[in-house]
Amino acid sequence: MKQLLLVFIGGGIGSVLRYILGKYLNSYQTGIPYGTFIANILGSLLIGVILGLAAKNNSISQNHTLLLATGFCGGFTTFSAFAYENHIFLKAGDFTSFAMYTIASFVVGFLAVFLGIFLVK
C-alpha cells in the first residue's frame, strides 16, 4: 500500500507541474506546445538521472525510485518512460526491438488518437 501511495503522490505532483508548464508555455497563437515539449525533455532527463543513479550505486532506494521515476516522471510525462525503455533496447544492441517499439508507439498512438476522436464524433 505504501508503494501505491508513493506513486500516487509523485504522479500528482508531476501532473500538476506539467499542467502549469503547458498553461504558461504552450503557444495557442502558433499551436506549438512548448510546455509539453519541455516537460517531455525534462522528464526524460530526470528519469535517466534517477534510474542511472539507482543502477550505478544503489544510492536511491526502491521507494524513492517509485516516488520519483514511476510517480513524478510518469505524471510529468509518459514520454520519459518511453525514452528510457528505448535506451534499454539500444544499450542491449536490440535495434530491431528499438525500431519496432518506436515506430509502433508513434503509429499506433496517433491512430488511437484519431480513432478516439472519430468515435466521439
Side-chain angles (χ1 to χ4, degrees), residues 91-104:
K91 186 176 176 182
D94 190 352
F95 301 108
T96 302
S97 292
F98 165 77
M100 290 176 59
Y101 180 56
T102 300
I103 293 167

Side-chain angles (χ1 to χ4, degrees), residues 23-78:
K23 181 175 180 173
Y24 291 105
L25 297 178
N26 286 356
S27 174
Y28 298 103
Q29 291 81 20
T30 65
I32 299 174
Y34 294 111
T36 303
F37 179 77
I38 290 169
N40 285 338
I41 301 308
L42 286 176
S44 296
L45 175 64
L46 187 57
I47 202 170
V49 169
I50 294 164
L51 296 177
L53 284 172
K56 181 178 179 183
N57 55 15
N58 292 326
S59 62
I60 298 178
S61 71
Q62 180 183 7
N63 286 338
H64 285 108
T65 301
L66 285 171
L67 175 72
L68 298 171
T70 305
F72 180 81
C73 290
F76 193 55
T77 174
T78 57

